[in-house]
Amino acid sequence: MRILLLGFEYLPVKVGGLAEAITHIAEGLAALGNEVVAFTPDHGKNLGEPVRKFKLTAFGEEVEVEARRREQNGVTVYSLSGGFLSNEDVYGPGWEGMLRKAVLFGKASAGLLNEMIEEFRPDVVHAHDWHTVFALGLIRKYFGVRTVFTIHRLNKGKLPAEYFREANLAELAPYPDIDPEHTAAYIADAVTTVSRSYLWEEWGFFGHFDGKVTHVFNGIDCSFWNEKLLKNAELPRKERRKLILERFGLSDGKAFMFIGRFDKAQKGVDTLLRAIEILSNDPSFGEMRFIIIGKGHPELEAWAKAIANRFPENVRTVTEVLPRETVRELYGSVDFVVIPSNFEPFGLVQLEAMCLGAVPIGSAVGGIRDTIIDLRDDPEGATGILVPPRDAFALAKTIISAGYLDEKTLQRLRENGRRRARVDFTWEKACRRYLNLYLGSVDKAIPFLR
Ligand code: NHF
């Protein structure tokens, strides 16, 4: 098949998990023998060779668009530059800049496809997240191609109808404020999201598109998240733990780690910080070590640092981006990784942890719930422990009991986790399901069969 992917992030441009997902989907589809082309804004990176230049009008001005092309792991990636498309702030500058960039991306995508259509007419256009709504709308309008819209995370925002008019899509904006996710899903032939649980948790949104909605799980690339690549791969895990804790200035103990954005809405670092405050009154706290890694909201950074200052024997907070290799060492050495998200469409951390034998303790939401098999539900097949979201007491209790798990159980959890990540959540599986979806032969989310 000929597949055109649209997305605001494409590796090496990465803000979050979206870049990993879109890039792996594109590469996985190409590896299965499809012709895959991706359009993405250049974001001032100047990646690839300039191949086409054309002019368009937007916001009362003429913009000169340049398309650069590169071949990246079997995928032809076009990055579009000119005006806001060249701005380095991937989701900006500011809200207004973001919206202008999205409109420009739409017009530039339609312009590029118009130039290429005789040599590349896609069988399907697969757009990712709301920023691609204008591109999706224009390509559907002018080329009538089958369209798929994937939601990696609902944004639930509204934007003024004038941006649709500016994108030459006034017919999609009959009201003053438009929800771009709703619009993209409404016009698409099929709508997907990245885990089954997230789809049902958000049925209030997805239910509007009942009949054309399904989930396609993301995958995990265990070739990088691989124990064989650890610096001290030959040492027993306990030794590695001791060394890594030493590196962070802590003595040996049961090691728990958090890695993620410090935000108030999604990642739940506040729940973990509260749980640590609760745990500090428990006798087993003396044996616990916490490494908390992330950046974001200044209040949360300050709180995480204050906790580290208050419990210098037990807690380290790192508010800088660590190299992926260091993160790999951590996953391969700590006992547990805590993922206390309030919601999580899919989530990568629990699977990265599982690839490297760290046992995940995660909120029972979205993709975390679909990927972790809970110890209490299935002691033999378990890959980790699930906890209710936003519940610091429950998390604290679970952390205490996790600390008491015997070595045999831990060993089983690790082995099951490795297998689950390597076998059940491959990108190849995800891409085969997308291909079935493109061809119209995939099971749907049917509310009365739930
Ligand atoms: O893994 C890629 C990512 C998800 O849960 C994640 C999220 C954004 O919030 O699909 O998209």
Side-chain angles (χ1 to χ4, degrees):
M1 284 185 100
R2 278 177 303 248
I3 302 158
L4 172 59
L5 295 190
L6 306 171
F8 250 54
E9 294 181 42
Y10 198 100
L11 290 175
V13 173
K14 174 178 162 134
V15 177
L18 182 64
E20 300 277 342
I22 298 179
T23 311
H24 279 106
I25 292 166
E27 292 178 3
L29 289 167
L32 290 172
N34 299 287
E35 189 178 345
V36 185
V37 170
F39 289 178
T40 188
D42 185 67
H43 303 300
K45 290 279 186 296
N46 291 335
L47 293 168
E49 295 304 311
V51 283
R52 285 181 203 261
K53 259 193 186 151
F54 54 92
K55 290 191 173 119
L56 54 79
T57 50
F59 302 99
E61 282 175 14
E62 192 172 80
V63 181
E64 175 141 296
V65 174
E66 185 169 60
R68 293 173 166 263
R69 187 174 65 203
R70 65 188 192 269
E71 297 296 324
Q72 190 170 309
N73 301 324
V75 178
T76 307
V77 185
Y78 286 89
S79 55
L80 294 157
S81 61
F84 275 110
L85 291 169
S86 298
N87 193 287
E88 284 180 18
D89 186 348
V90 174
Y91 297 111
W95 177 236
E96 164 79 19
M98 159 79 251
L99 295 181
R100 286 181 171 233
K101 197 172 194 174
V103 169
L104 218 48
F105 179 61
K107 287 184 156 176
S109 295
L112 179 58
L113 192 58
N114 210 28
E115 299 225 339
M116 291 167 57
I117 196 71
E118 284 180 18
E119 55 212 71
F120 178 78
R121 187 196 150 75
D123 300 306
V124 64
V125 177
H126 186 170
H128 297 262
D129 274 357
W130 72 267
H131 327 94
T132 59
V133 61
F134 305 112
L136 182 75
L138 288 169
I139 290 175
R140 182 179 158 278
K141 174 169 170 171
Y142 290 110
F143 303 101
V145 182
R146 183 175 160 77
T147 51
V148 174
F149 180 54
T150 292
I151 289 185
H152 292 262
R153 182 175 52 159
L154 280 166
N155 183 61
K156 303 183 181 177
K158 290 242 169 71
L159 48 99
E162 68 187 71
Y163 290 95
F164 281 86
R165 285 195 287 277
E166 195 52 65
N168 206 32
L169 287 167
E171 66 275 25
L172 296 181
Y175 308 110
D177 291 315
I178 302 295
D179 170 348
E181 277 154 350
H182 188 102
T183 306
Y186 182 74
I187 62 174
D189 295 297
V191 177
T192 76
T193 191
V194 288
S195 72
R196 190 189 280 123
S197 288
Y198 187 63
L199 191 158
W200 292 119
E201 284 163 18
E202 294 290 354
W203 190 244
F205 172 81
F206 289 109
H208 291 125
F209 314 104
D210 190 7
K212 59 176 184 179
V213 182
T214 194
H215 73 277
V216 181
F217 286 121
N218 283 342
I220 179 79
D221 177 12
C222 287
S223 63
F224 177 84
W225 304 110
N226 190 325
E227 267 172 320
K228 293 200 186 99
L229 303 176
L230 293 173
K231 249 196 245 135
N232 295 312
E234 74 298 340
L235 290 182
R237 193 170 181 105
K238 281 228 157 83
E239 288 300 312
R240 291 206 295 265
R241 181 182 80 185
K242 215 165 153 185
L243 289 173
I244 203 101
L245 286 172
E246 222 168 73
R247 188 162 154 196
F248 283 83
L250 291 167
S251 62
D252 196 26
K254 283 277 166 199
F256 299 82
M257 154 186 175
F258 168 94
I259 182 159
R261 205 170 53 244
F262 285 10
D263 73 329
K264 292 194 172 176
Q266 185 178 0
K267 297 292 177 184
V269 70
D270 52 326
T271 307
L272 174 62
L273 297 175
R274 226 169 266 129
I276 294 176
E277 284 171 354
I278 297 164
L279 284 165
S280 66
N281 298 311
D282 191 87
S284 59
F285 187 61
E287 290 303 304
M288 293 176 187
R289 308 289 175 264
F290 293 90
I291 300 180
I292 302 172
I293 305 156
K295 273 167 86 85
H297 198 289
E299 258 175 45
L300 293 172
E301 287 193 11
W303 185 5
K305 283 184 188 153
I307 294 267
N309 287 338
R310 222 170 110 198
F311 307 112
E313 314 277 292
N314 309 80
V315 185
R316 283 290 171 278
T317 295
V318 184
T319 53
E320 62 194 73
V321 180
L322 294 177
R324 282 174 100 213
E325 286 70 18
T326 310
V327 177
R328 182 168 62 196
E329 295 297 317
L330 277 158
Y331 283 141
S333 312
V334 299
D335 299 294
F336 300 96
V337 173
V338 184
I339 311 112
S341 306
N342 301 333
F343 69 91
E344 197 63 75
F346 184 73
L348 286 174
V349 172
Q350 75 277 14
L351 283 167
E352 290 167 358
M354 284 192 244
C355 284
L356 281 145
V359 177
I361 299 175
S363 299
V365 293
I368 302 175
R369 178 188 185 156
D370 292 345
T371 50
I372 295 180
I373 301 173
D374 184 25
L375 186 59
R376 279 160 287 204
D377 275 0
D378 178 359
E380 282 310 307
T383 65
I385 307 174
L386 290 172
V387 287
R390 301 173 195 264
D391 187 341
F393 278 96
L395 180 59
K397 233 170 98 188
T398 304
I399 288 177
I400 296 173
S401 51
Y404 288 117
L405 289 176
D406 60 85
E407 196 44 48
K408 212 169 131 217
T409 308
L410 286 173
Q411 192 61 31
R412 195 171 59 241
L413 285 164
R414 281 189 209 119
E415 266 160 33
N416 291 344
R418 281 189 201 101
R419 197 171 338 109
R420 184 136 174 91
R422 291 209 179 115
V423 179
D424 295 346
F425 291 95
T426 63
W427 282 111
E428 187 186 331
K429 267 198 173 173
C431 290
R432 287 195 188 278
R433 190 163 161 86
Y434 277 122
L435 280 177
N436 285 339
L437 173 86
Y438 300 157
L439 296 167
S441 54
V442 90
D443 56 273
K444 297 285 162 51
I446 302 182
F448 57 85
L449 297 180
R450 198 173 157 187

